[in-house]
Amino acid sequence: MASMPSIKSREIRIAPEVPINRTLRFWEGLDEGRVYASKCKGCGQLRFPPVADCPSCLSQEIEWVDISGEAEIETFTHVVAKPESFKQDRAYTIAIGKLKEGVKVLAWLVGFKMTDVKIGMKARLTARTTPEGTSTYQFVPP
Amino acid sequence: MKKVAIIGAGNSKFGNRNDVNVSELAFESVKPSLEDAELRARDIEYLALGTTGAGALYEEILPAVVVAEYCGFTEAGLIRCEAACASGSAAFFTAYSAIASGKVDLAIALGVEKMRQVDTSTTMEWMGRAGYYFWEFHNFGLTFPAYYALYANAHMAKYGTTEEDLALVAVKNHKYGLKNPIAHLQKEITLDDVMSSMVIASPLKLLDCCPITDGSASLILASEERVRDLGIDTPVWVAGIGYSSGTANLSRRQDYVGLEASVLAARRACRAAGITIDHIDLAEVHDCFTIAEIIAYEDIGLCKKGEGARLIREGQTEIGGKIPVNIDGGLKAKGHPIGTTGCSMIYELTKQLREEADERSRQVPLRKYVGLAHNVGGTGHYCYVTILKR
Ligand SMILES: [Zn+2]
Protein backbone atom coordinates (compact mmCIF):
# COMPACT_ATOMS: atom_id res chain seq x y z
CA MET A 1 0.00 0.00 0.00
CA ALA A 2 0.91 3.61 -0.36
CA SER A 3 3.75 5.01 1.67
CA MET A 4 4.06 7.78 -0.92
CA PRO A 5 1.71 10.79 -0.74
CA SER A 6 -1.77 9.66 -1.82
CA ILE A 7 -5.52 10.39 -1.65
CA LYS A 8 -7.84 7.56 -0.59
CA SER A 9 -10.57 6.85 -3.17
CA ARG A 10 -14.24 6.72 -2.14
CA GLU A 11 -15.24 3.34 -0.73
CA ILE A 12 -17.66 1.06 -2.55
CA ARG A 13 -19.14 -2.17 -1.19
CA ILE A 14 -19.94 -4.84 -3.76
CA ALA A 15 -21.81 -8.06 -3.04
CA PRO A 16 -23.88 -9.10 -6.09
CA GLU A 17 -26.86 -11.44 -5.54
CA VAL A 18 -26.18 -14.48 -7.74
CA PRO A 19 -29.38 -16.16 -9.09
CA ILE A 20 -29.70 -19.88 -8.33
CA ASN A 21 -33.26 -20.23 -9.58
CA ARG A 22 -32.41 -22.70 -12.35
CA THR A 23 -30.19 -24.91 -10.19
CA LEU A 24 -32.32 -24.59 -7.07
CA ARG A 25 -32.74 -28.37 -6.69
CA PHE A 26 -28.97 -28.67 -6.31
CA TRP A 27 -28.89 -26.21 -3.42
CA GLU A 28 -31.98 -27.74 -1.79
CA GLY A 29 -30.28 -31.12 -2.15
CA LEU A 30 -27.27 -29.92 -0.19
CA ASP A 31 -29.57 -28.85 2.65
CA GLU A 32 -31.07 -32.37 2.62
CA GLY A 33 -27.59 -33.92 2.76
CA ARG A 34 -27.42 -34.93 -0.92
CA VAL A 35 -25.01 -33.88 -3.68
CA TYR A 36 -26.59 -33.87 -7.13
CA ALA A 37 -25.01 -33.71 -10.56
CA SER A 38 -27.04 -32.55 -13.56
CA LYS A 39 -27.79 -34.98 -16.39
CA CYS A 40 -28.82 -33.68 -19.79
CA LYS A 41 -32.10 -35.17 -21.00
CA GLY A 42 -31.01 -34.59 -24.59
CA CYS A 43 -27.62 -36.28 -24.74
CA GLY A 44 -27.27 -37.87 -21.31
CA GLN A 45 -24.12 -36.01 -20.33
CA LEU A 46 -23.52 -35.89 -16.58
CA ARG A 47 -22.06 -32.60 -15.31
CA PHE A 48 -20.57 -31.24 -12.13
CA PRO A 49 -20.78 -28.43 -11.23
CA PRO A 50 -24.36 -28.79 -12.45
CA VAL A 51 -25.64 -26.77 -15.41
CA ALA A 52 -29.19 -25.86 -16.44
CA ASP A 53 -28.29 -25.73 -20.15
CA CYS A 54 -26.32 -28.23 -22.24
CA PRO A 55 -23.49 -26.75 -24.31
CA SER A 56 -23.13 -30.05 -26.23
CA CYS A 57 -26.68 -30.59 -27.57
CA LEU A 58 -28.27 -27.26 -26.56
CA SER A 59 -31.04 -28.99 -24.60
CA GLN A 60 -32.41 -26.98 -21.68
CA GLU A 61 -33.91 -29.96 -19.93
CA ILE A 62 -32.00 -31.73 -17.23
CA GLU A 63 -32.60 -34.24 -14.49
CA TRP A 64 -30.88 -34.42 -11.14
CA VAL A 65 -28.73 -37.44 -10.31
CA ASP A 66 -27.86 -38.29 -6.71
CA ILE A 67 -24.14 -39.12 -6.88
CA SER A 68 -22.43 -41.83 -4.89
CA GLY A 69 -19.75 -39.58 -3.43
CA GLU A 70 -16.97 -42.16 -3.90
CA ALA A 71 -13.96 -40.21 -5.10
CA GLU A 72 -10.25 -40.54 -5.86
CA ILE A 73 -8.11 -37.47 -5.19
CA GLU A 74 -6.33 -36.21 -8.34
CA THR A 75 -4.58 -33.25 -6.74
CA PHE A 76 -4.66 -30.96 -3.71
CA THR A 77 -2.99 -28.02 -1.95
CA HIS A 78 -2.88 -26.73 1.61
CA VAL A 79 -3.66 -23.01 1.45
CA VAL A 80 -1.72 -21.00 4.01
CA ALA A 81 -1.82 -17.45 2.60
CA LYS A 82 -5.54 -16.76 2.47
CA PRO A 83 -7.59 -14.19 0.56
CA GLU A 84 -9.21 -11.29 2.42
CA SER A 85 -12.70 -12.85 2.73
CA PHE A 86 -11.27 -16.13 4.14
CA LYS A 87 -9.05 -14.41 6.68
CA GLN A 88 -11.06 -15.79 9.62
CA ASP A 89 -10.68 -19.39 8.40
CA ARG A 90 -7.88 -21.70 9.51
CA ALA A 91 -5.50 -22.95 6.82
CA TYR A 92 -7.55 -25.19 4.53
CA THR A 93 -6.95 -27.97 2.01
CA ILE A 94 -8.42 -27.73 -1.49
CA ALA A 95 -8.65 -30.93 -3.52
CA ILE A 96 -9.93 -32.08 -6.88
CA GLY A 97 -11.43 -35.56 -6.82
CA LYS A 98 -12.78 -37.75 -9.58
CA LEU A 99 -16.08 -39.37 -8.72
CA LYS A 100 -16.96 -42.97 -9.59
CA GLU A 101 -19.51 -41.53 -12.07
CA GLY A 102 -16.68 -39.86 -14.00
CA VAL A 103 -17.20 -36.19 -13.15
CA LYS A 104 -14.68 -34.23 -11.09
CA VAL A 105 -15.28 -31.98 -8.10
CA LEU A 106 -13.19 -29.23 -6.54
CA ALA A 107 -13.87 -28.78 -2.83
CA TRP A 108 -12.30 -28.57 0.60
CA LEU A 109 -10.86 -31.78 1.99
CA VAL A 110 -11.36 -32.18 5.75
CA GLY A 111 -10.84 -34.80 8.45
CA PHE A 112 -7.44 -36.06 7.25
CA LYS A 113 -4.08 -35.49 8.87
CA MET A 114 -2.30 -33.07 6.57
CA THR A 115 0.65 -35.40 6.04
CA ASP A 116 -1.72 -38.24 5.10
CA VAL A 117 -3.18 -36.39 2.12
CA LYS A 118 -1.89 -38.07 -1.05
CA ILE A 119 -2.76 -38.06 -4.72
CA GLY A 120 -4.63 -41.26 -5.57
CA MET A 121 -6.18 -41.70 -2.13
CA LYS A 122 -9.89 -42.36 -1.66
CA ALA A 123 -12.28 -39.80 -0.21
CA ARG A 124 -16.02 -39.29 0.02
CA LEU A 125 -17.95 -36.24 -1.16
CA THR A 126 -20.64 -35.08 1.27
CA ALA A 127 -23.02 -32.16 1.60
CA ARG A 128 -22.25 -29.67 4.32
CA THR A 129 -23.91 -26.67 5.92
CA THR A 130 -21.47 -24.21 7.44
CA PRO A 131 -22.03 -22.65 10.89
CA GLU A 132 -23.06 -19.48 9.02
CA GLY A 133 -25.74 -21.49 7.17
CA THR A 134 -24.03 -21.69 3.76
CA SER A 135 -24.82 -24.83 1.75
CA THR A 136 -21.72 -26.44 0.31
CA TYR A 137 -19.94 -29.79 -0.14
CA GLN A 138 -16.64 -31.27 0.97
CA PHE A 139 -14.40 -34.32 0.76
CA VAL A 140 -14.12 -36.40 3.94
CA PRO A 141 -12.41 -39.74 4.77
CA PRO A 142 -14.24 -42.65 3.04
CA MET B 1 -3.31 -10.04 -44.62
CA LYS B 2 -0.77 -7.29 -44.29
CA LYS B 3 2.62 -7.79 -42.70
CA VAL B 4 2.99 -6.04 -39.34
CA ALA B 5 6.16 -4.94 -37.54
CA ILE B 6 7.07 -3.55 -34.15
CA ILE B 7 8.78 -0.20 -34.72
CA GLY B 8 8.86 1.17 -31.19
CA ALA B 9 9.11 -0.37 -27.73
CA GLY B 10 9.09 1.00 -24.20
CA ASN B 11 8.92 -0.46 -20.70
CA SER B 12 8.56 1.36 -17.38
CA LYS B 13 10.52 0.44 -14.28
CA PHE B 14 8.67 -2.45 -12.62
CA GLY B 15 8.16 -2.55 -8.87
CA ASN B 16 6.17 -0.92 -6.11
CA ARG B 17 5.25 2.19 -8.06
CA ASN B 18 3.13 4.14 -5.62
CA ASP B 19 5.09 7.18 -6.70
CA VAL B 20 2.84 7.41 -9.80
CA ASN B 21 -0.82 6.92 -10.75
CA VAL B 22 -2.02 4.61 -13.54
CA SER B 23 -1.81 7.26 -16.29
CA GLU B 24 1.63 8.46 -15.24
CA LEU B 25 2.84 4.87 -15.15
CA ALA B 26 1.50 4.27 -18.68
CA PHE B 27 3.25 7.44 -19.87
CA GLU B 28 6.59 6.01 -18.70
CA SER B 29 6.45 3.32 -21.39
CA VAL B 30 4.47 5.22 -24.04
CA LYS B 31 7.07 8.00 -24.20
CA PRO B 32 10.10 5.79 -24.98
CA SER B 33 8.07 3.69 -27.45
CA LEU B 34 6.97 6.75 -29.44
CA GLU B 35 10.48 8.22 -29.30
CA ASP B 36 11.86 4.88 -30.48
CA ALA B 37 9.50 4.95 -33.49
CA GLU B 38 10.06 8.69 -33.97
CA LEU B 39 6.31 9.28 -33.93
CA ARG B 40 3.85 11.47 -32.01
CA ALA B 41 0.80 10.18 -30.16
CA ARG B 42 -1.54 11.80 -32.71
CA ASP B 43 -0.04 9.64 -35.49
CA ILE B 44 -1.47 6.50 -33.87
CA GLU B 45 -4.81 5.35 -35.30
CA TYR B 46 -5.74 2.60 -32.86
CA LEU B 47 -4.92 1.85 -29.23
CA ALA B 48 -5.51 -1.47 -27.45
CA LEU B 49 -4.92 -1.44 -23.70
CA GLY B 50 -4.29 -4.55 -21.63
CA THR B 51 -5.15 -4.12 -17.95
CA THR B 52 -7.19 -6.09 -15.42
CA GLY B 53 -7.32 -4.11 -12.19
CA ALA B 54 -9.69 -1.38 -13.36
CA GLY B 55 -12.02 -0.40 -10.52
CA ALA B 56 -10.75 -3.28 -8.37
CA LEU B 57 -7.02 -2.90 -7.78
CA TYR B 58 -6.95 0.74 -8.82
CA GLU B 59 -9.51 3.53 -9.00
CA GLU B 60 -10.27 4.02 -12.70
CA ILE B 61 -12.93 1.86 -14.29
CA LEU B 62 -12.40 3.11 -17.86
CA PRO B 63 -8.62 3.13 -17.87
CA ALA B 64 -8.29 3.07 -21.67
CA VAL B 65 -10.06 6.43 -21.91
CA VAL B 66 -8.16 7.95 -18.99
CA VAL B 67 -4.76 6.72 -20.15
CA ALA B 68 -5.42 7.64 -23.80
CA GLU B 69 -6.29 11.21 -22.80
CA TYR B 70 -3.25 11.50 -20.55
CA CYS B 71 -0.87 10.22 -23.23
CA GLY B 72 -2.40 12.17 -26.12
CA PHE B 73 -4.23 9.40 -28.01
CA THR B 74 -7.77 10.84 -27.80
CA GLU B 75 -9.66 10.33 -31.10
CA ALA B 76 -7.75 7.12 -31.91
CA GLY B 77 -9.82 3.92 -31.98
CA LEU B 78 -9.78 2.62 -28.43
CA ILE B 79 -10.42 -0.64 -26.58
CA ARG B 80 -9.53 -2.31 -23.30
CA CYS B 81 -8.63 -6.01 -23.65
CA GLU B 82 -9.10 -8.50 -20.83
CA ALA B 83 -7.55 -11.96 -20.95
CA ALA B 84 -6.47 -12.04 -17.29
CA CYS B 85 -2.65 -12.30 -17.11
CA ALA B 86 -2.59 -12.55 -20.93
CA SER B 87 -4.36 -9.20 -21.39
CA GLY B 88 -1.16 -7.61 -22.72
CA SER B 89 -0.86 -10.25 -25.43
CA ALA B 90 -4.57 -9.90 -26.20
CA ALA B 91 -4.03 -6.15 -26.62
CA PHE B 92 -1.07 -6.89 -28.86
CA PHE B 93 -3.17 -9.28 -30.96
CA THR B 94 -5.92 -6.64 -31.22
CA ALA B 95 -3.52 -3.91 -32.36
CA TYR B 96 -1.83 -6.38 -34.75
CA SER B 97 -5.20 -7.39 -36.22
CA ALA B 98 -6.20 -3.77 -36.81
CA ILE B 99 -3.16 -3.40 -39.05
CA ALA B 100 -3.09 -6.90 -40.58
CA SER B 101 -6.70 -6.46 -41.68
CA GLY B 102 -5.79 -3.27 -43.50
CA LYS B 103 -7.98 -1.03 -41.31
CA VAL B 104 -5.11 1.09 -39.96
CA ASP B 105 -1.38 1.52 -40.55
CA LEU B 106 -0.18 2.54 -37.10
CA ALA B 107 -1.39 1.13 -33.79
CA ILE B 108 -0.19 0.85 -30.21
CA ALA B 109 -0.45 -2.10 -27.84
CA LEU B 110 -0.14 -0.85 -24.28
CA GLY B 111 -0.17 -2.74 -21.01
CA VAL B 112 -0.50 -1.06 -17.64
CA GLU B 113 -1.24 -2.42 -14.17
CA LYS B 114 -1.39 -0.96 -10.68
CA MET B 115 -1.56 -3.74 -8.09
CA ARG B 116 -0.25 -2.08 -4.96
CA GLN B 117 -2.81 0.59 -4.18
CA VAL B 118 -4.73 -1.96 -2.07
CA ASP B 119 -3.38 -4.34 0.60
CA THR B 120 -1.93 -7.77 -0.21
CA SER B 121 -4.87 -9.85 1.04
CA THR B 122 -7.26 -7.79 -1.11
CA THR B 123 -5.03 -8.40 -4.14
CA MET B 124 -5.01 -12.14 -3.24
CA GLU B 125 -8.81 -11.99 -3.11
CA TRP B 126 -9.16 -10.49 -6.59
CA MET B 127 -6.59 -12.86 -8.08
CA GLY B 128 -8.26 -15.84 -6.41
CA ARG B 129 -11.57 -14.80 -7.97
CA ALA B 130 -9.88 -14.94 -11.39
CA GLY B 131 -11.16 -18.33 -12.43
CA TYR B 132 -14.75 -19.43 -11.84
CA TYR B 133 -15.73 -17.21 -8.90
CA PHE B 134 -19.03 -18.89 -8.18
CA TRP B 135 -17.95 -22.55 -8.21
CA GLU B 136 -14.33 -22.44 -7.15
CA PHE B 137 -13.78 -19.31 -5.10
CA HIS B 138 -17.04 -18.49 -3.30
CA ASN B 139 -16.99 -21.53 -1.00
CA PHE B 140 -13.41 -22.70 -1.35
CA GLY B 141 -11.21 -19.60 -1.34
CA LEU B 142 -8.79 -20.55 -4.10
CA THR B 143 -5.87 -18.18 -4.42
CA PHE B 144 -3.72 -17.62 -7.48
CA PRO B 145 -0.81 -19.60 -5.95
CA ALA B 146 -3.26 -22.34 -4.95
CA TYR B 147 -4.42 -22.82 -8.55
CA TYR B 148 -0.84 -23.49 -9.64
CA ALA B 149 -0.09 -25.49 -6.50
CA LEU B 150 -2.76 -27.97 -7.66
CA TYR B 151 -0.75 -28.37 -10.87
CA ALA B 152 2.56 -28.55 -8.99
CA ASN B 153 1.47 -31.45 -6.76
CA ALA B 154 0.05 -33.36 -9.72
CA HIS B 155 3.20 -32.80 -11.82
CA MET B 156 5.44 -33.87 -8.93
CA ALA B 157 3.39 -37.01 -8.32
CA LYS B 158 3.33 -38.04 -11.98
CA TYR B 159 6.84 -37.11 -13.18
CA GLY B 160 8.96 -37.00 -10.04
CA THR B 161 9.54 -33.25 -10.32
CA THR B 162 10.81 -32.04 -6.94
CA GLU B 163 10.47 -28.87 -4.89
CA GLU B 164 14.20 -28.31 -5.56
CA ASP B 165 13.52 -28.39 -9.31
CA LEU B 166 10.91 -25.69 -8.84
CA ALA B 167 13.36 -23.67 -6.75
CA LEU B 168 15.95 -23.83 -9.55
CA VAL B 169 13.60 -21.85 -11.79
CA ALA B 170 13.47 -19.07 -9.19
CA VAL B 171 17.27 -19.10 -8.81
CA LYS B 172 17.78 -18.81 -12.58
CA ASN B 173 15.23 -16.04 -13.07
CA HIS B 174 16.56 -14.01 -10.13
CA LYS B 175 20.06 -14.34 -11.57
CA TYR B 176 18.93 -12.64 -14.79
CA GLY B 177 16.58 -10.23 -13.02
CA LEU B 178 19.61 -8.80 -11.26
CA LYS B 179 21.02 -7.85 -14.67
CA ASN B 180 17.80 -6.20 -15.83
CA PRO B 181 17.47 -2.61 -14.63
CA ILE B 182 13.67 -2.60 -15.02
CA ALA B 183 13.18 -5.76 -12.90
CA HIS B 184 11.22 -5.54 -9.64
CA LEU B 185 13.38 -7.98 -7.63
CA GLN B 186 17.05 -7.15 -8.09
CA LYS B 187 18.50 -9.80 -5.88
CA GLU B 188 20.28 -13.08 -6.41
CA ILE B 189 18.82 -15.96 -4.38
CA THR B 190 19.98 -19.48 -3.51
CA LEU B 191 18.22 -22.82 -3.58
CA ASP B 192 18.17 -22.70 0.23
CA ASP B 193 16.52 -19.27 0.24
CA VAL B 194 13.66 -20.67 -1.84
CA MET B 195 13.35 -23.93 0.10
CA SER B 196 13.27 -22.16 3.46
CA SER B 197 10.80 -19.44 2.46
CA MET B 198 7.30 -19.50 3.93
CA VAL B 199 4.71 -21.89 2.46
CA ILE B 200 1.99 -19.97 0.57
CA ALA B 201 0.00 -22.90 -0.90
CA SER B 202 1.81 -26.23 -0.63
CA PRO B 203 4.18 -27.06 -2.30
CA LEU B 204 4.64 -23.45 -3.44
CA LYS B 205 6.61 -21.18 -1.15
CA LEU B 206 7.00 -17.42 -1.15
CA LEU B 207 10.03 -17.49 -3.45
CA ASP B 208 8.23 -19.79 -5.91
CA CYS B 209 5.78 -16.94 -6.51
CA CYS B 210 6.08 -13.83 -8.64
CA PRO B 211 5.88 -10.58 -6.69
CA ILE B 212 2.94 -8.16 -6.76
CA THR B 213 4.14 -5.57 -9.22
CA ASP B 214 3.19 -2.29 -10.89
CA GLY B 215 4.42 -1.52 -14.37
CA SER B 216 3.66 -0.65 -17.98
CA ALA B 217 4.96 -1.65 -21.40
CA SER B 218 4.22 -0.18 -24.81
CA LEU B 219 4.68 -1.34 -28.41
CA ILE B 220 4.17 0.67 -31.59
CA LEU B 221 3.09 -1.45 -34.57
CA ALA B 222 3.15 -0.49 -38.23
CA SER B 223 2.13 -1.90 -41.60
CA GLU B 224 4.82 -2.88 -44.10
CA GLU B 225 4.08 0.26 -46.19
CA ARG B 226 4.51 2.49 -43.18
CA VAL B 227 7.71 0.71 -42.13
CA ARG B 228 9.06 1.58 -45.60
CA ASP B 229 7.74 5.17 -45.60
CA LEU B 230 9.21 5.87 -42.17
CA GLY B 231 12.55 4.32 -43.11
CA ILE B 232 12.62 2.02 -40.06
CA ASP B 233 16.00 0.24 -40.06
CA THR B 234 15.34 -2.65 -37.66
CA PRO B 235 11.66 -3.58 -37.82
CA VAL B 236 10.81 -6.69 -35.80
CA TRP B 237 8.10 -8.57 -37.68
CA VAL B 238 5.15 -10.36 -36.16
CA ALA B 239 5.65 -13.82 -37.65
CA GLY B 240 2.63 -15.51 -36.10
CA ILE B 241 0.20 -15.42 -33.20
CA GLY B 242 -1.61 -18.43 -31.73
CA TYR B 243 -4.30 -18.46 -29.09
CA SER B 244 -6.54 -20.82 -27.17
CA SER B 245 -8.46 -21.15 -23.92
CA GLY B 246 -9.25 -23.60 -21.15
CA THR B 247 -12.31 -24.34 -19.00
CA ALA B 248 -13.26 -21.85 -16.28
CA ASN B 249 -13.73 -24.69 -13.77
CA LEU B 250 -10.46 -26.47 -13.02
CA SER B 251 -12.59 -29.50 -12.18
CA ARG B 252 -13.50 -29.81 -15.88
CA ARG B 253 -9.86 -30.22 -16.94
CA GLN B 254 -8.51 -33.53 -18.25
CA ASP B 255 -5.46 -33.52 -15.97
CA TYR B 256 -3.30 -31.18 -13.88
CA VAL B 257 0.14 -31.73 -15.37
CA GLY B 258 -0.10 -29.35 -18.33
CA LEU B 259 -2.16 -26.52 -19.78
CA GLU B 260 -3.98 -27.61 -22.92
CA ALA B 261 -4.48 -23.94 -23.90
CA SER B 262 -0.68 -23.52 -24.03
CA VAL B 263 -0.21 -26.62 -26.17
CA LEU B 264 -2.79 -25.43 -28.70
CA ALA B 265 -1.70 -21.79 -28.73
CA ALA B 266 1.95 -22.71 -29.28
CA ARG B 267 1.08 -25.15 -32.06
CA ARG B 268 -1.13 -22.55 -33.77
CA ALA B 269 1.52 -19.82 -33.43
CA CYS B 270 4.20 -22.04 -34.99
CA ARG B 271 1.87 -22.96 -37.83
CA ALA B 272 1.03 -19.28 -38.43
CA ALA B 273 4.74 -18.42 -38.47
CA GLY B 274 5.60 -21.42 -40.63
CA ILE B 275 8.24 -22.65 -38.22
CA THR B 276 8.83 -25.49 -35.80
CA ILE B 277 9.66 -24.79 -32.17
CA ASP B 278 13.37 -25.61 -32.66
CA HIS B 279 13.65 -22.50 -34.86
CA ILE B 280 13.45 -20.08 -31.94
CA ASP B 281 16.53 -18.44 -30.44
CA LEU B 282 14.89 -17.53 -27.14
CA ALA B 283 11.58 -17.75 -25.32
CA GLU B 284 9.68 -15.71 -22.81
CA VAL B 285 7.37 -18.08 -20.94
CA HIS B 286 4.71 -17.44 -18.34
CA ASP B 287 6.42 -18.16 -14.99
CA CYS B 288 3.94 -16.60 -12.56
CA PHE B 289 5.01 -19.52 -10.34
CA THR B 290 8.07 -21.70 -10.73
CA ILE B 291 5.99 -24.76 -11.67
CA ALA B 292 4.42 -22.73 -14.48
CA GLU B 293 7.81 -22.35 -16.20
CA ILE B 294 8.51 -26.09 -16.07
CA ILE B 295 5.05 -26.89 -17.39
CA ALA B 296 5.49 -24.24 -20.11
CA TYR B 297 8.71 -25.90 -21.37
CA GLU B 298 6.69 -29.06 -21.93
CA ASP B 299 3.51 -27.46 -23.24
CA ILE B 300 5.17 -25.33 -25.92
CA GLY B 301 7.42 -28.22 -26.93
CA LEU B 302 10.90 -27.24 -25.72
CA CYS B 303 11.06 -30.78 -24.34
CA LYS B 304 8.86 -33.86 -24.05
CA LYS B 305 6.05 -34.05 -21.51
CA GLY B 306 7.48 -34.80 -18.07
CA GLU B 307 11.01 -33.69 -18.95
CA GLY B 308 10.71 -30.03 -17.97
CA ALA B 309 12.54 -30.50 -14.69
CA ARG B 310 15.50 -32.03 -16.52
CA LEU B 311 15.81 -28.92 -18.69
CA ILE B 312 16.18 -26.66 -15.65
CA ARG B 313 18.47 -29.11 -13.80
CA GLU B 314 20.83 -29.24 -16.80
CA GLY B 315 20.85 -25.45 -17.21
CA GLN B 316 19.48 -25.80 -20.74
CA THR B 317 17.30 -22.71 -20.39
CA GLU B 318 20.13 -20.33 -19.52
CA ILE B 319 22.23 -18.34 -21.97
CA GLY B 320 24.62 -20.90 -23.47
CA GLY B 321 22.07 -23.70 -23.03
CA LYS B 322 19.81 -25.28 -25.62
CA ILE B 323 17.19 -22.53 -25.44
CA PRO B 324 17.44 -19.46 -23.18
CA VAL B 325 14.17 -18.77 -21.35
CA ASN B 326 13.12 -15.67 -19.40
CA ILE B 327 16.45 -13.93 -19.71
CA ASP B 328 14.79 -10.70 -18.48
CA GLY B 329 14.15 -12.31 -15.08
CA GLY B 330 10.69 -13.56 -16.06
CA LEU B 331 7.55 -12.82 -14.14
CA LYS B 332 9.34 -14.32 -11.16
CA ALA B 333 12.00 -11.61 -10.78
CA LYS B 334 11.10 -8.90 -13.29
CA GLY B 335 7.59 -8.91 -11.86
CA HIS B 336 4.09 -9.62 -13.14
CA PRO B 337 1.93 -6.51 -13.51
CA ILE B 338 -0.97 -8.65 -14.75
CA GLY B 339 -2.25 -6.78 -17.83
CA THR B 340 1.23 -5.51 -18.72
CA THR B 341 3.10 -8.81 -18.83
CA GLY B 342 2.33 -9.80 -22.44
CA CYS B 343 3.52 -6.43 -23.78
CA SER B 344 6.59 -6.59 -21.54
CA MET B 345 7.51 -10.07 -22.85
CA ILE B 346 7.25 -8.72 -26.41
CA TYR B 347 9.27 -5.64 -25.39
CA GLU B 348 12.06 -7.95 -24.19
CA LEU B 349 11.96 -10.04 -27.39
CA THR B 350 12.08 -6.87 -29.50
CA LYS B 351 15.16 -5.60 -27.67
CA GLN B 352 16.82 -9.01 -27.87
CA LEU B 353 16.08 -9.46 -31.58
CA ARG B 354 17.51 -6.01 -32.28
CA GLU B 355 20.54 -7.05 -30.20
CA GLU B 356 19.96 -4.13 -27.86
CA ALA B 357 19.81 -5.93 -24.49
CA ASP B 358 20.60 -3.27 -21.88
CA GLU B 359 23.40 -5.37 -20.40
CA ARG B 360 25.59 -7.25 -22.89
CA SER B 361 25.85 -10.36 -20.73
CA ARG B 362 22.08 -10.63 -21.05
CA GLN B 363 22.11 -10.58 -24.86
CA VAL B 364 21.13 -13.95 -26.27
CA PRO B 365 23.25 -15.08 -29.25
CA LEU B 366 20.96 -15.15 -32.29
CA ARG B 367 21.05 -17.60 -35.17
CA LYS B 368 17.66 -17.35 -36.80
CA TYR B 369 16.54 -14.09 -35.18
CA VAL B 370 13.27 -15.62 -33.98
CA GLY B 371 11.78 -15.24 -30.50
CA LEU B 372 8.62 -16.55 -28.84
CA ALA B 373 6.44 -15.11 -26.07
CA HIS B 374 4.12 -17.49 -24.21
CA ASN B 375 1.56 -15.65 -22.09
CA VAL B 376 -1.01 -17.52 -20.00
CA GLY B 377 -4.13 -15.87 -18.57
CA GLY B 378 -5.39 -17.23 -15.26
CA THR B 379 -4.52 -20.91 -14.86
CA GLY B 380 -4.59 -21.87 -18.53
CA HIS B 381 -7.89 -20.06 -18.87
CA TYR B 382 -6.46 -18.07 -21.76
CA CYS B 383 -3.22 -18.44 -23.71
CA TYR B 384 -1.54 -16.32 -26.38
CA VAL B 385 1.73 -17.23 -28.06
CA THR B 386 3.41 -14.56 -30.19
CA ILE B 387 6.35 -15.27 -32.49
CA LEU B 388 8.57 -12.42 -33.67
CA LYS B 389 11.25 -12.41 -36.36
CA ARG B 390 13.72 -9.71 -37.23
ZN1 LIG C 1 -26.98 -32.42 -23.94
Side-chain angles (χ1 to χ4, degrees), chain A residues 1-2 4 27 48-49 74-78 80-81 83-86 92 94 96 104 106 108 119 134 136-137, chain B residues 18-19 116 118 121 124-125 135 137-141 143 149-150 153-154 199-202 251-254 256:
Chain A
M1 278 221 281
M4 291 297 222
W27 302 101
F48 195 96
E74 291 203 349
T75 192
F76 67 94
T77 179
H78 306 299
V80 180
E84 179 67 21
S85 63
F86 284 79
Y92 44 86
I94 295 170
I96 297 174
K104 297 186 195 185
L106 180 145
W108 279 6
I119 288 172
T134 306
T136 183
Y137 41 91
Chain B
N18 278 324
D19 55 324
R116 303 191 62 122
V118 296
S121 59
M124 293 280 279
E125 173 94 14
W135 290 108
F137 182 87
H138 186 76
N139 283 330
F140 308 122
T143 61
L150 292 168
N153 272 328
V199 174
I200 299 293
S202 70
S251 64
R252 295 203 209 276
R253 303 272 172 94
Q254 198 67 42
Y256 305 97

Side-chain angles (χ1 to χ4, degrees), chain B residues 320-379:
Chain B
K322 185 179 141 196
I323 171 77
V325 175
N326 291 339
I327 297 312
D328 56 354
L331 284 58
K332 178 63 201 72
K334 186 176 71 171
H336 181 26
I338 305 294
T340 301
T341 285
C343 289
S344 185
M345 287 175 158
I346 294 169
Y347 164 85
E348 169 68 10
L349 289 183
T350 303
K351 298 297 259 188
Q352 287 279 351
L353 292 175
R354 289 189 197 162
E355 297 173 298
E356 289 173 358
D358 30 64
E359 189 175 320
R360 296 318 292 170
S361 66
R362 220 168 59 68
Q363 177 65 51
V364 172
L366 303 168
R367 292 185 311 268
K368 299 208 158 84
Y369 290 84
V370 178
L372 176 148
H374 159 261
N375 190 193
V376 176
T379 315

Side-chain angles (χ1 to χ4, degrees), chain A residues 54-71:
Chain A
C54 180
S56 302
C57 75
L58 305 183
S59 166
Q60 295 187 287
E61 296 201 16
I62 55 150
E63 55 191 324
W64 294 100
V65 178
D66 196 351
I67 48 185
S68 68
E70 286 176 50

